[in-house]
Amino acid sequence: MFESDKIKGIIFDYGGTIDSNGMHWAEVIWMAYQAEEVPVSKETFREAYVHGERTLGKNPIVQPHHTFLDMLRLKTDLQIEWLKAGDFLPEELATPGLKQRLADWCYAYARKSIDSARHILAALSRKYPLVLVSNFYGNVEAVLKDFHLDCYFQSIVESAVVGIRKPDPAIFRLGVKDLLLPAEEIVVIGDSYDKDIVPATSIGCKTIWLKSIGWSEYEGNETADLVITDFAELEQTFGL
């Protein structure tokens, strides 16, 4: 049972939690593909998505100044070019316009999610110190500034900067260190059971799992101190 009165600080995940209300970003981008009627199967899209993520992870393509829209344009470019090169998508359809429309659709989705979450983050930041712990590309500060979210977090622990990636519990230990609180007085809020909930639990933090559509099917035995299905439920959880 989750007891909010025992919580003194909060660690938030970013991508998939604040910017998509718990939905894995592959699912969001797939919705954009469907909206644009891109003629590829979901299985093929997922291969293109993995290619794009691995390419961005291995190469310094994303720069610290890049906004979220910049990053989405890089992602859709890598995906569409991979689909074209593999003959999964006809060359006449793999246009700069398609890439732009996909990126714009996803950016609008993120902005809508963030606009819904903003007043909750503002209210939480008035009651608790907030720290962000995120697997990101080195540009999360630019992303937060673009969405006017940077003012809510007292510190940011970003994987590309600290050299540690989730699900390594060490990245959450850095967040705990920044809060200057015992782990048992901190709650970690994230969308990924494997990357957020499991490692946070292992170091003694409380957990709130924002459960939606993930990358893989859930086994059914996943647990957290509290499971929610909408970011808005945090209002009632913390009595905002």
Side-chain angles (χ1 to χ4, degrees):
M1 180 178 178
F2 180 72
E3 298 174 287
S4 63
D5 59 318
K6 295 184 178 179
I7 297 302
K8 306 300 181 186
I10 301 175
I11 292 175
F12 268 103
D13 169 56
Y14 178 69
T17 299
I18 296 172
D19 62 359
S20 67
N21 198 19
M23 187 172 292
H24 193 285
W25 262 97
E27 293 293 326
V28 177
I29 299 173
W30 173 242
M31 287 194 293
Y33 272 62
Q34 291 179 300
E36 289 296 326
E37 299 181 341
V38 182
V40 298
S41 68
K42 188 172 185 180
E43 181 181 4
T44 299
F45 159 73
R46 283 168 68 96
E47 291 182 44
Y49 177 86
V50 169
H51 164 75
E53 293 304 301
R54 287 177 177 171
T55 302
L56 293 177
K58 293 177 181 178
N59 303 280
I61 298 171
V62 177
Q63 295 297 302
H65 68 276
H66 281 150
T67 66
F68 194 59
L69 183 56
D70 294 332
M71 198 171 71
L72 286 168
R73 289 170 177 166
L74 293 170
K75 286 174 180 275
T76 56
D77 182 70
L78 288 167
Q79 292 165 15
I80 296 299
E81 288 301 311
W82 183 88
L83 290 167
K84 182 177 72 173
D87 292 327
F88 296 110
L89 188 66
E91 186 170 355
E92 61 269 22
L93 295 181
T95 64
L98 173 62
K99 298 171 186 176
Q100 181 68 56
R101 291 193 301 275
L102 291 170
D104 288 347
W105 194 100
C106 293
Y107 186 76
Y109 186 98
R111 182 165 288 283
K112 184 177 179 180
S113 296
I114 289 167
D115 286 345
S116 295
R118 188 184 313 281
H119 73 281
I120 299 173
L121 290 171
L124 285 172
S125 70
R126 290 191 290 268
K127 291 184 67 174
Y128 307 95
L130 308 184
V131 167
L132 195 76
V133 174
S134 178
N135 279 356
F136 227 74
Y137 307 91
N139 66 319
V140 77
E141 289 194 33
V143 170
L144 293 175
K145 287 179 182 178
D146 181 46
F147 286 125
H148 305 293
L149 296 177
D150 53 310
C151 57
Y152 302 127
F153 300 99
Q154 70 172 35
S155 70
I156 297 167
V157 182
E158 183 179 6
S159 61
V161 175
V162 301
I164 308 169
R165 287 183 61 82
K166 303 175 187 179
D168 189 335
I171 195 169
F172 285 102
R173 290 194 185 98
L174 293 177
V176 170
K177 182 180 179 181
D178 283 352
L179 283 170
L180 301 174
L181 292 167
E184 60 268 21
E185 294 181 358
I186 297 169
V187 62
V188 171
I189 303 174
D191 71 296
S192 173
Y193 180 75
D194 293 330
K195 294 181 179 179
D196 296 318
I197 307 306
V198 172
T201 300
S202 75
I203 64 168
C205 292
K206 302 302 181 185
T207 55
I208 297 177
W209 180 22
L210 177 54
K211 182 181 180 182
S212 184
I213 302 174
W215 174 257
S216 303
E217 293 290 331
Y218 301 123
E219 295 182 4
N221 59 352
E222 297 88 355
T223 60
D225 291 293
L226 181 65
V227 180
I228 61 176
T229 57
D230 193 304
F231 198 92
E233 292 178 56
L234 293 176
E235 287 188 276
Q236 183 176 357
T237 299
F238 290 99
L240 303 178

